[in-house]
Amino acid sequence: MLTNVAKARLLHSLLIQEIPQFLGYLNELTKTILNDKERIKAEWKDQLFGVDFWFDLAGEVHRVMAKYPKDLHKSPNVFADQLFDGYTAIFTAHALTQYVALGRHTDPKFKPAVDLLFG
């Protein structure tokens, strides 16, 4: 059994060329969520947790991305430890599955890897 941190470390190590594009998507997603709170609150229905918790997670991911911009790209350990540990993993894993569902990835091996590790 792999933890979310171990899964993310493995994904980063195996498919590092895809990580910058995913981090770009993650950055866009957090900015959209943090800048469009009123619309998201109005549309939030029957979710597993409250909308304010989702905003807190987006804010934490945004802070991590600002604090470690180069290390997230280069280091599997920083990527995994900072983005896939604790509750932050809920947001980041969701973003990762959205990223591949939307077909934003360029490496054809990335989607099966994400499905296997986080699906």
Side-chain angles (χ1 to χ4, degrees):
M1 283 307 253
L2 296 175
T3 65
N4 284 328
V5 171
K7 291 174 187 179
R9 189 175 296 123
L10 180 61
L11 182 68
H12 189 291
S13 296
L14 293 174
L15 295 158
I16 191 170
Q17 72 281 0
E18 192 69 39
I19 299 305
Q21 293 92 325
F22 167 65
L23 290 172
Y25 172 77
L26 184 61
N27 191 47
E28 289 173 26
L29 180 64
T30 58
K31 285 180 181 177
T32 299
I33 289 170
L34 295 172
N35 291 330
D36 205 5
K37 288 183 176 182
E38 293 307 314
R39 181 189 60 79
I40 293 169
K41 276 185 182 182
E43 295 175 359
W44 197 263
K45 294 187 182 14
D46 300 322
Q47 300 296 329
L48 187 59
F49 41 80
V51 69
D52 290 326
F53 181 62
W54 194 246
F55 294 147
D56 290 344
L57 293 176
E60 179 59 26
V61 168
H62 187 72
R63 282 186 289 282
V64 165
M65 293 185 72
K67 186 174 181 178
Y68 304 102
K70 292 179 184 174
D71 293 333
L72 291 170
H73 287 81
K74 295 178 182 179
S75 171
N77 291 333
V78 174
F79 176 81
D81 293 340
Q82 296 300 317
L83 294 176
F84 288 88
D85 191 31
Y87 291 120
T88 307
I90 296 168
F91 185 89
T92 313
H94 172 76
L96 186 60
T97 56
Q98 269 194 322
Y99 175 78
V100 296
L102 294 169
R104 302 280 300 262
H105 57 289
T106 55
D107 188 324
K109 294 178 251 166
F110 197 72
K111 183 180 181 343
V114 169
D115 290 345
L116 178 67
L117 295 169
F118 293 97

